[in-house]
Amino acid sequence: MSTELADARAPKLRRALTITAIGAVLAATAVVISAPAQAIGPTTIRVDTGGINAPTCGGATQQCLTIQYAIDKANSGDTVQVAAGTYNEIVTIAKGINLQGAGAADTFIDGTGTTSGPDGLVNIGTTDGDVTIAGFTIQNPVAGTVFGPHSISMIDPTASDRITITHNTILGWADSPTQASDAQIGIDSANTFAKTTITHNDISGVWQGVLLEGNRGALDVSDNHIHHLTPYVDGDAMYPAEGVYILSDKESSASAQDVTHN
């Protein structure tokens, strides 16, 4: 090949090599773009009396043993699904989860044999998310380190949170030798700003079915069956049983609080 012909073809060759290199880069880039990261959504963590508490528990083949372990493992927005059985433990909820039992006739959170929790057998604190409790019998609460025996206690100061307690059976401790002086409460809520719905529960065997102390968020307490309550005896004084009791000594006002059809 003559020198003149080689010099004439050189620019074309350089352009061809450049286009080939760019095509290789684009092809590699296309491979990256074609496999975007997948977002991880809410999951279900399963609990069973035959399970085991381990980092790998919670799936369909290996459930967790205790409700609290599953809650601690869960992320906000997850569901903790509890199989039929009796779970002797105190439960504390400090994140937005859906706590789902297999039905009040089959799934029991029972305080028998537990030590004192902060407030109640099931405690709902600052969750920064929505909480639902459904499908349980919650019974035999022990006295808390601050208050008396509460089956469920709520103290959530975040107005954007939502708490729903529905389709549960909520009991006191009928076999307690000091039942009359225990001041047992089914559901106690103190200084809660979260929007709270308490509906379609069966509550019995306590002094106060639902006690709402200083609640400043919206309330819907409706369609609950509250029955067979017990008086509270304090020395020579006896206080009659109360189905739903709303107490407020706060300077701020509250609105949208409805107690109907109980």
Side-chain angles (χ1 to χ4, degrees), residues 3 14 34 36 38 64 80 90 95 103 107 123 146 181 218 221 251:
T3 303
R14 285 195 295 270
S34 67
Q38 301 257 336
C64 297
V80 174
I90 291 171
K95 63 184 72 171
T107 312
N123 306 280
V146 180
S181 60
V221 182
E251 294 179 359

Side-chain angles (χ1 to χ4, degrees), residues 36-61:
Q38 301 257 336
I40 299 175
T43 61
T44 297
I45 299 176
R46 293 171 174 82
V47 181
D48 191 276
T49 54
I52 183 172
N53 289 339
T56 56
C57 76
T61 58

Side-chain angles (χ1 to χ4, degrees), residues 7-34:
D7 291 342
R9 292 185 175 181
K12 295 181 181 180
L13 182 59
R14 285 195 295 270
R15 284 198 298 271
L17 290 174
T18 301
I19 291 170
T20 301
I22 291 172
V25 172
L26 289 175
T29 304
V31 171
V32 174
I33 293 173
S34 67

Side-chain angles (χ1 to χ4, degrees), residues 115-216:
T115 57
S116 296
D119 296 309
L121 184 54
V122 176
N123 306 280
I124 305 171
T126 302
T127 62
D128 293 325
D130 297 344
V131 169
T132 298
I133 300 175
F136 293 91
T137 288
I138 301 171
Q139 64 184 12
N140 298 332
V142 297
T145 55
V146 180
F147 300 106
H150 299 169
S151 296
I152 298 177
S153 69
M154 296 182 288
I155 304 178
D156 188 342
T158 305
S160 59
D161 290 347
R162 298 169 65 95
I163 298 171
T164 302
I165 300 172
T166 185
H167 292 93
N168 302 286
T169 296
I170 300 171
L171 305 172
W173 195 323
D175 294 334
S176 170
T178 57
Q179 182 189 29
S181 60
D182 282 344
Q184 298 185 38
I185 298 173
I187 300 174
D188 177 86
S189 180
N191 299 329
T192 291
F193 284 80
K195 182 176 181 180
T196 303
T197 300
I198 301 170
T199 184
H200 295 289
N201 300 287
D202 190 286
I203 304 172
S204 64
V206 293
W207 168 46
Q208 294 171 316
V210 180
L211 173 61
L212 304 166
E213 302 180 83
N215 272 62
R216 283 168 276 183

